[in-house]
Short mmCIF file of all heavy atoms in Angstrom, two decimals:
data_model
loop_
_atom_site.label_atom_id
_atom_site.label_comp_id
_atom_site.label_asym_id
_atom_site.label_seq_id
_atom_site.Cartn_x
_atom_site.Cartn_y
_atom_site.Cartn_z
N GLN A 1 -1.06 -6.28 -6.84
CA GLN A 1 0.16 -5.48 -6.91
C GLN A 1 0.75 -5.32 -5.52
O GLN A 1 0.02 -5.22 -4.53
CB GLN A 1 -0.14 -4.10 -7.48
CG GLN A 1 -0.55 -4.10 -8.95
CD GLN A 1 -1.07 -2.74 -9.39
OE1 GLN A 1 -1.98 -2.19 -8.79
NE2 GLN A 1 -0.48 -2.20 -10.45
N LEU A 2 2.07 -5.29 -5.46
CA LEU A 2 2.78 -4.94 -4.24
C LEU A 2 3.31 -3.52 -4.38
O LEU A 2 3.75 -3.10 -5.45
CB LEU A 2 3.96 -5.89 -4.00
CG LEU A 2 3.66 -7.36 -3.70
CD1 LEU A 2 4.96 -8.12 -3.47
CD2 LEU A 2 2.73 -7.51 -2.51
N TRP A 3 3.27 -2.77 -3.26
CA TRP A 3 3.77 -1.40 -3.22
C TRP A 3 4.59 -1.21 -1.95
O TRP A 3 4.25 -1.77 -0.90
CB TRP A 3 2.60 -0.41 -3.18
CG TRP A 3 1.60 -0.54 -4.28
CD1 TRP A 3 0.57 -1.45 -4.35
CD2 TRP A 3 1.52 0.26 -5.47
NE1 TRP A 3 -0.14 -1.26 -5.51
CE2 TRP A 3 0.41 -0.23 -6.21
CE3 TRP A 3 2.25 1.33 -5.97
CZ2 TRP A 3 0.03 0.33 -7.43
CZ3 TRP A 3 1.88 1.88 -7.18
CH2 TRP A 3 0.79 1.39 -7.90
N CYS A 4 5.63 -0.39 -2.02
CA CYS A 4 6.33 0.07 -0.82
C CYS A 4 5.68 1.37 -0.38
O CYS A 4 5.56 2.31 -1.18
CB CYS A 4 7.81 0.32 -1.12
SG CYS A 4 8.78 -1.17 -1.45
N VAL A 5 5.23 1.42 0.86
CA VAL A 5 4.51 2.61 1.32
C VAL A 5 4.97 3.03 2.71
O VAL A 5 5.48 2.22 3.48
CB VAL A 5 2.98 2.38 1.36
CG1 VAL A 5 2.47 1.87 0.02
CG2 VAL A 5 2.58 1.42 2.48
N ILE A 6 4.77 4.30 3.00
CA ILE A 6 4.91 4.82 4.36
C ILE A 6 3.53 5.28 4.80
O ILE A 6 2.90 6.12 4.13
CB ILE A 6 5.92 5.97 4.43
CG1 ILE A 6 7.34 5.42 4.22
CG2 ILE A 6 5.83 6.70 5.78
CD1 ILE A 6 8.43 6.46 4.27
N ASP A 7 3.03 4.70 5.87
CA ASP A 7 1.74 5.08 6.44
C ASP A 7 1.98 6.31 7.31
O ASP A 7 2.67 6.24 8.32
CB ASP A 7 1.20 3.91 7.27
CG ASP A 7 -0.13 4.24 7.95
OD1 ASP A 7 -0.69 5.32 7.69
OD2 ASP A 7 -0.59 3.39 8.74
N LEU A 8 1.41 7.45 6.93
CA LEU A 8 1.68 8.69 7.65
C LEU A 8 1.15 8.67 9.07
O LEU A 8 1.59 9.47 9.90
CB LEU A 8 1.10 9.88 6.87
CG LEU A 8 1.67 10.09 5.46
CD1 LEU A 8 1.24 11.44 4.91
CD2 LEU A 8 3.19 9.98 5.46
N ALA A 9 0.24 7.76 9.37
CA ALA A 9 -0.25 7.62 10.74
C ALA A 9 0.64 6.71 11.58
O ALA A 9 0.49 6.63 12.80
CB ALA A 9 -1.68 7.08 10.74
N ASN A 10 1.58 6.03 10.92
CA ASN A 10 2.48 5.11 11.62
C ASN A 10 3.88 5.20 11.02
O ASN A 10 4.47 4.19 10.60
CB ASN A 10 1.96 3.67 11.50
CG ASN A 10 0.63 3.47 12.20
OD1 ASN A 10 0.57 3.36 13.42
ND2 ASN A 10 -0.43 3.43 11.41
N LYS A 11 4.42 6.41 10.99
CA LYS A 11 5.74 6.61 10.37
C LYS A 11 6.84 5.81 11.05
O LYS A 11 7.85 5.47 10.43
CB LYS A 11 6.10 8.10 10.39
CG LYS A 11 5.32 8.95 9.41
CD LYS A 11 5.84 10.38 9.42
CE LYS A 11 5.15 11.24 8.39
NZ LYS A 11 5.68 12.64 8.39
N ASP A 12 6.65 5.52 12.33
CA ASP A 12 7.68 4.79 13.07
C ASP A 12 7.89 3.38 12.53
O ASP A 12 8.93 2.76 12.81
CB ASP A 12 7.30 4.72 14.55
CG ASP A 12 5.96 4.04 14.78
OD1 ASP A 12 4.98 4.42 14.12
OD2 ASP A 12 5.88 3.14 15.63
N LYS A 13 6.94 2.88 11.75
CA LYS A 13 7.08 1.54 11.17
C LYS A 13 7.93 1.54 9.91
O LYS A 13 8.24 0.48 9.37
CB LYS A 13 5.70 0.95 10.88
CG LYS A 13 4.88 0.68 12.15
CD LYS A 13 3.59 -0.04 11.83
CE LYS A 13 2.82 -0.36 13.10
NZ LYS A 13 1.55 -1.09 12.81
N GLY A 14 8.32 2.72 9.44
CA GLY A 14 9.16 2.79 8.26
C GLY A 14 8.44 2.35 7.00
O GLY A 14 7.21 2.42 6.91
N VAL A 15 9.21 1.88 6.02
CA VAL A 15 8.62 1.43 4.76
C VAL A 15 7.91 0.10 4.98
O VAL A 15 8.50 -0.86 5.48
CB VAL A 15 9.69 1.29 3.66
CG1 VAL A 15 9.06 0.74 2.38
CG2 VAL A 15 10.35 2.64 3.38
N MET A 16 6.64 0.05 4.60
CA MET A 16 5.82 -1.14 4.73
C MET A 16 5.48 -1.66 3.33
O MET A 16 5.71 -0.98 2.33
CB MET A 16 4.55 -0.83 5.51
CG MET A 16 4.79 -0.15 6.85
SD MET A 16 3.27 0.46 7.63
CE MET A 16 2.57 -1.09 8.21
N VAL A 17 4.92 -2.86 3.28
CA VAL A 17 4.51 -3.45 2.00
C VAL A 17 2.99 -3.51 1.94
O VAL A 17 2.34 -4.02 2.86
CB VAL A 17 5.10 -4.86 1.80
CG1 VAL A 17 4.52 -5.53 0.56
CG2 VAL A 17 6.62 -4.77 1.68
N PHE A 18 2.44 -2.96 0.88
CA PHE A 18 0.99 -2.94 0.65
C PHE A 18 0.68 -3.96 -0.44
O PHE A 18 1.10 -3.82 -1.58
CB PHE A 18 0.58 -1.54 0.22
CG PHE A 18 -0.90 -1.32 0.05
CD1 PHE A 18 -1.84 -2.16 0.64
CD2 PHE A 18 -1.37 -0.24 -0.69
CE1 PHE A 18 -3.20 -1.95 0.49
CE2 PHE A 18 -2.74 0.00 -0.84
CZ PHE A 18 -3.65 -0.86 -0.26
N ASP A 19 -0.06 -5.01 -0.07
CA ASP A 19 -0.50 -6.03 -1.02
C ASP A 19 -1.93 -5.70 -1.39
O ASP A 19 -2.84 -5.84 -0.57
CB ASP A 19 -0.40 -7.41 -0.38
CG ASP A 19 -1.05 -8.49 -1.22
OD1 ASP A 19 -1.01 -8.40 -2.46
OD2 ASP A 19 -1.61 -9.44 -0.63
N ALA A 20 -2.16 -5.24 -2.62
CA ALA A 20 -3.46 -4.67 -2.96
C ALA A 20 -4.04 -5.26 -4.23
O ALA A 20 -3.30 -5.56 -5.18
CB ALA A 20 -3.31 -3.15 -3.13
N PRO A 21 -5.36 -5.40 -4.29
CA PRO A 21 -6.01 -5.80 -5.52
C PRO A 21 -5.96 -4.66 -6.53
O PRO A 21 -5.83 -3.50 -6.15
CB PRO A 21 -7.46 -6.09 -5.09
CG PRO A 21 -7.67 -5.21 -3.91
CD PRO A 21 -6.33 -5.16 -3.20
N PHE A 22 -6.06 -5.00 -7.81
CA PHE A 22 -6.08 -3.96 -8.83
C PHE A 22 -7.51 -3.55 -9.19
O PHE A 22 -7.90 -2.41 -9.00
CB PHE A 22 -5.35 -4.42 -10.09
CG PHE A 22 -5.41 -3.39 -11.19
CD1 PHE A 22 -4.55 -2.30 -11.17
CD2 PHE A 22 -6.34 -3.48 -12.21
CE1 PHE A 22 -4.63 -1.32 -12.16
CE2 PHE A 22 -6.42 -2.52 -13.22
CZ PHE A 22 -5.56 -1.44 -13.19
N TRP A 23 -8.28 -4.49 -9.70
CA TRP A 23 -9.59 -4.14 -10.24
C TRP A 23 -10.55 -3.62 -9.17
O TRP A 23 -10.68 -4.19 -8.09
CB TRP A 23 -10.22 -5.36 -10.94
CG TRP A 23 -9.42 -5.84 -12.10
CD1 TRP A 23 -8.74 -7.03 -12.19
CD2 TRP A 23 -9.19 -5.16 -13.33
NE1 TRP A 23 -8.10 -7.12 -13.40
CE2 TRP A 23 -8.37 -5.99 -14.14
CE3 TRP A 23 -9.61 -3.92 -13.83
CZ2 TRP A 23 -7.95 -5.61 -15.40
CZ3 TRP A 23 -9.19 -3.55 -15.11
CH2 TRP A 23 -8.38 -4.38 -15.88
N LYS A 24 -11.19 -2.49 -9.49
CA LYS A 24 -12.22 -1.88 -8.65
C LYS A 24 -11.69 -1.54 -7.26
O LYS A 24 -12.47 -1.47 -6.30
CB LYS A 24 -13.46 -2.78 -8.54
CG LYS A 24 -14.14 -3.04 -9.87
CD LYS A 24 -15.37 -3.91 -9.70
CE LYS A 24 -16.05 -4.16 -11.05
NZ LYS A 24 -17.24 -5.02 -10.91
N SER A 25 -10.39 -1.30 -7.15
CA SER A 25 -9.84 -0.92 -5.86
C SER A 25 -8.58 -0.09 -6.09
O SER A 25 -8.48 0.63 -7.08
CB SER A 25 -9.56 -2.15 -4.99
OG SER A 25 -9.36 -1.77 -3.64
N PHE A 26 -7.59 -0.21 -5.19
CA PHE A 26 -6.47 0.71 -5.16
C PHE A 26 -5.77 0.90 -6.51
O PHE A 26 -5.59 2.01 -6.99
CB PHE A 26 -5.46 0.25 -4.10
CG PHE A 26 -4.25 1.15 -4.02
CD1 PHE A 26 -4.32 2.38 -3.40
CD2 PHE A 26 -3.04 0.75 -4.58
CE1 PHE A 26 -3.21 3.22 -3.33
CE2 PHE A 26 -1.92 1.57 -4.51
CZ PHE A 26 -2.02 2.81 -3.89
N GLY A 27 -5.34 -0.20 -7.12
CA GLY A 27 -4.56 -0.10 -8.34
C GLY A 27 -5.30 0.60 -9.47
O GLY A 27 -4.75 1.49 -10.13
#
């Protein structure tokens, strides 16, 4: 899955893209 995210530790980077596995992890 792809997600649009803001990393609160790096807000200056703006909206980033999180490419994440689904099974047994983030999704």
Side-chain angles (χ1 to χ4, degrees):
Q1 292 169 306
L2 294 181
W3 305 81
C4 291
V5 307
I6 290 180
D7 178 6
L8 298 192
N10 295 283
K11 287 185 176 181
D12 59 310
K13 294 186 177 181
V15 177
M16 307 170 75
V17 172
F18 185 19
D19 170 34
F22 177 80
W23 298 112
K24 298 181 180 180
S25 195
F26 179 76

